[in-house]
Amino acid sequence: MNNFRFNVRTDVRFGKGSISALPELVEKYGGKNVLLVYGGGSIRKNGIYDSIKELLSDKKVYELSGIEPNPDIEKVREGAAICKENKIDCVLAVGGGSVIDSSKVIAAAANYDGDAWTLVENSSEIGRVLPVIAVLTMAATGSEMNKNAVISDKKNNKKLGTSSLDFIPYAAICDPEYLYSLPPVQTAAGTADIMSHVFEQYFRKDTGAYISDSIAEAILKTCIKYCPVALKDPKNYEARANLMWASTLALNSLISCGKAGAWSAHPIEHELSAFYDVTHGVGLAIVTPSWMRYVMNEENVKQFSAYGRNVWGISEPDDKKCAAMAIDKTQQFFKDCGIPTTLSEIGIDDTKIDIMAEAAVKNNNLDSAFVPLKKEDVAAILRNCL
Ligand code: NZQ
Ligand code: ZN
């Protein structure tokens, strides 16, 4: 097992009714002036907005709404300007990954004299960051307890990740009932995202980090068990609660403890989102099985067969056959959850594959991925998704 640093400060309040802790948390980590950041309106429809306004009635609450999926840098600039003008003490992100990620960069840009995009391109420019408090409404990214933010510059077809330990939210309110209003496609896409986060950290050079791998397998099994339940019965508390906690644990550094390496499917998907504004989890569900089939080789086949046996319960003794069955099952699972499994189904053809492949290699460290990938490899993985 490699040496590691595990540094997570988030005060997580999990469970139904946990929003009642909001005043205490804002008092403790924030202050009088709060910037409330949210998306396109789901929190107004499901009542979360009203509860928050009531709970924070003694605070000065400024608002930034309209954060879109694959959030754009323009909104971050807008949020930073509000913070600077109004001496904001903390940023309250109410939504999914797009809202929380935007809030993190707003919180950094609030104390930065240059343009916010520089903080996305160059994380070493990130200085003092205002406290971020997250109220989670979507189980997917783990942003509520991690150091990452992914922001797009839609005008220039760019989508990049940045990170800082100071981005880690001070507190996260995770109420599984908030997931009841999710459209099925977001429930399914969110689950594909959680599973992909696990794959990115599980399929790494084997360093004997058995404990991390075992936790990873438990998270995958949780997704496989509960996503179909949540799709069939959207108000099933047990299913929503398990998926919500799975999303947090999948990407709060826990399962990469003792395992180094760069990611593979995410860098490829980020280019699909940058060029076609694809829903992140949908792009991952399409790319992941293709990536798995492409990178599986003599050296790593045992890791794929272990995945098949421990997660899917496949009893096939031959490693190669078991591994191939596990990949097929992964793809079929996404399909059964109602997610498109080919690029053509979402209207993407061959036209930009080479440009996306080049950008994926340029913007990421694919040389140190599980199996190193060059531009030609990424293009082949994408072509196999057509
Ligand atoms: O905007 P509203 O109206 O709120 O609707 C949102 C949005 O349309 C809707 N939604 C969220 N909660 C809802 C709801 N609708 C009804 N009821 C609710 N309770 O869902 C849609 C998608 O929201 P979004 O925040 O975009 O989803 P997600 O959480 O999947 O975030 C995706 C973004 O996070 C980035 C992705 O690349 C993408 O930009 N990622 C962030 C990561 C991180 N910070 O660590 C890692 C990930 O790998 C990922 O890259
Ligand atoms: Zn993701």
Side-chain angles (χ1 to χ4, degrees):
M1 195 184 314
N2 295 342
N3 294 1
F4 62 85
R5 178 177 182 184
F6 183 63
N7 181 339
V8 179
R9 65 171 162 213
T10 314
D11 183 348
V12 178
R13 305 296 176 99
F14 190 97
K16 69 176 83 166
S18 47
I19 195 71
S20 62
L22 187 63
E24 172 206 332
L25 295 169
V26 170
E27 198 58 47
K28 187 169 176 190
Y29 301 112
K32 185 94 192 106
N33 295 334
V34 178
L35 176 64
L36 164 63
V37 180
Y38 60 101
S42 69
I43 67 159
R44 283 185 176 269
K45 286 191 206 125
N46 56 23
I48 300 174
Y49 175 86
D50 290 336
S51 349
I52 287 176
K53 289 292 281 200
E54 204 183 313
L55 286 163
L56 297 184
S57 55
D58 67 331
K59 303 285 176 205
K60 183 99 181 97
V61 180
Y62 298 82
E63 292 188 24
L64 176 71
S65 63
I67 303 292
E68 292 176 346
N70 298 320
D72 193 63
I73 189 65
E74 274 307 329
K75 277 284 173 190
V76 173
R77 292 180 180 125
E78 220 180 289
I82 300 174
C83 292
K84 285 177 181 169
E85 275 160 33
N86 301 288
K87 296 200 167 49
I88 294 294
D89 298 306
C90 76
V91 183
L92 176 62
V94 185
S98 297
V99 168
I100 305 173
D101 289 4
S102 301
S103 299
K104 291 173 177 176
V105 186
I106 289 169
N111 295 312
Y112 185 65
D113 289 335
D115 179 43
W117 184 250
T118 311
L119 305 175
V120 178
E121 283 190 316
N122 181 1
S123 61
S124 67
E125 285 288 307
I126 298 169
R128 200 167 71 79
V129 180
L130 294 176
V132 173
I133 296 175
V135 176
L136 187 64
T137 68
M138 161 111 194
T141 63
S143 189
E144 64 279 8
M145 202 179 178
N146 75 31
K147 61 181 180 169
N148 311 317
V150 185
I151 304 293
S152 296
D153 173 0
K154 291 187 181 178
K155 271 192 215 139
N156 294 303
N157 295 125
K158 285 187 181 167
K159 178 173 177 175
L160 299 178
T162 182
S163 83
S164 160
L165 283 173
D166 294 320
F167 277 176
I168 299 176
Y170 279 67
I173 291 178
C174 305
D175 181 340
E177 290 189 338
Y178 285 3
L179 306 180
Y180 289 172
S181 57
L182 276 172
V185 63
Q186 294 296 346
T187 298
T191 303
D193 191 24
I194 301 170
M195 291 176 72
S196 174
H197 296 156
V198 176
F199 295 141
E200 300 279 16
Q201 299 165 89
Y202 182 80
F203 291 110
R204 283 187 177 171
K205 198 167 146 24
D206 188 3
T207 57
Y210 176 84
I211 181 161
S212 299
D213 289 342
S214 303
I215 301 170
E217 287 162 359
I219 296 171
L220 291 169
K221 285 200 275 191
T222 301
C223 291
I224 293 162
K225 178 178 165 89
Y226 285 112
C227 182
V229 179
L231 287 171
K232 206 167 152 208
D233 178 11
K235 296 193 175 174
N236 185 306
Y237 186 83
E238 181 178 319
R240 294 299 194 181
N242 278 282
L243 288 171
M244 197 172 219
W245 192 226
S247 75
T248 308
L249 293 183
L251 196 48
N252 72 348
S253 304
L254 180 67
I255 60 169
S256 59
C257 286
K259 305 186 70 163
W263 289 25
S264 309
H266 270 70
I268 304 176
E269 191 294 314
H270 283 173
E271 297 311 326
L272 285 174
S273 289
F275 283 84
Y276 295 97
D277 209 8
V278 168
T279 298
H280 177 60
V282 170
L284 288 168
I286 295 172
V287 168
T288 298
S290 170
W291 163 73
M292 286 176 163
R293 287 190 186 104
Y294 191 86
V295 299
M296 195 180 67
N297 58 31
E298 293 293 335
E299 208 182 308
N300 61 34
V301 67
K302 279 198 183 303
Q303 285 174 270
F304 283 97
S305 61
Y307 161 60
R309 292 188 187 111
N310 299 342
V311 174
W312 291 103
I314 300 170
S315 53
E316 167 60 53
D318 180 81
D319 282 328
K320 262 192 195 156
K321 281 189 198 156
C322 179
M325 285 164 78
I327 299 172
D328 290 349
K329 274 189 173 286
T330 309
Q331 190 165 39
Q332 189 60 43
F333 174 76
F334 293 145
K335 201 171 180 173
D336 293 344
C337 292
I339 314 180
T341 46
T342 61
L343 289 176
S344 358
E345 280 172 80
I346 55 169
I348 297 178
D349 61 17
D350 191 59
T351 327
K352 292 182 182 160
I353 282 186
D354 291 317
I355 307 172
M356 290 192 290
E358 194 167 345
V361 170
K362 184 171 153 247
N363 294 334
N364 301 279
N365 190 12
L366 288 173
D367 273 347
S368 21
F370 177 55
V371 170
L373 300 172
K374 301 201 177 313
K375 181 189 154 190
E376 302 70 44
D377 302 312
V378 175
I381 290 168
L382 284 170
R383 285 207 168 84
N384 291 342
C385 297
L386 288 167

